[in-house]
Amino acid sequence: QVRLVQSGGGSVQAGGSLRLSCAASGETNVMGWFRQAPGKEREGVAGIGNHGRTWYADSVKGRFTISKDDTKNIVFLQMNSLKPEDTAMYYCAAGPSIVGTMGWFDRAAMFGVWGQGTQVTVSS
């Protein structure tokens, strides 16, 4: 029912910026960004839910910004001051409204639809 197509990503030097996009086909409620580095668990990065409520992992606060264009149904992740530890495969995901209500933005299991993923590599 819902399809998520990501764009963006790539390789940048530490301190650089990058913007990821996630275009959704179909109705969505809560959107989130996750990342997974080799050998590590998938972790929540940012989320946007009920009434525009946003959430960020402590590791990216002050550096990343999640936003959305409701008219075009596109979610963005603006990443500034990138660090090598930000290197990972990034995924956008769509979840039910309860995610926003309960603040479960970091619970990957609650998100049922996922984008194809895009690699972000930050060199030192």
Side-chain angles (χ1 to χ4, degrees):
Q1 298 180 30
V2 178
R3 291 196 302 168
L4 304 178
V5 180
Q6 298 179 221
S7 61
S11 299
V12 297
Q13 292 185 321
S17 298
L18 201 61
R19 188 176 76 162
L20 306 182
S21 299
C22 179
S25 298
E27 186 176 353
T28 59
N29 291 306
V30 175
M31 296 294 297
W33 288 95
F34 294 78
R35 67 186 182 187
Q36 186 168 25
K40 296 185 177 181
E41 296 291 327
R42 185 168 299 186
E43 63 174 346
V45 176
I48 185 165
N50 297 351
H51 308 292
R53 176 184 177 184
T54 58
W55 170 88
Y56 299 94
D58 289 341
S59 60
V60 307
K61 286 182 178 178
R63 300 189 298 119
F64 290 12
T65 302
I66 187 171
S67 62
K68 61 180 178 179
D69 183 333
D70 289 324
T71 301
K72 298 181 179 180
N73 208 14
I74 300 176
V75 180
F76 304 96
L77 183 66
Q78 179 66 46
M79 303 182 291
N80 298 325
S81 302
L82 284 163
K83 304 175 181 180
E85 48 263 48
D86 294 319
T87 296
M89 185 73 74
Y90 282 71
Y91 301 88
C92 65
S97 60
I98 194 173
V99 170
T101 300
M102 301 301 296
W104 292 339
F105 295 104
D106 61 338
R107 300 189 179 190
M110 295 299 298
F111 292 78
V113 182
W114 295 81
Q116 79 277 21
T118 186
Q119 179 68 36
V120 171
T121 301
V122 184
S123 60
S124 60

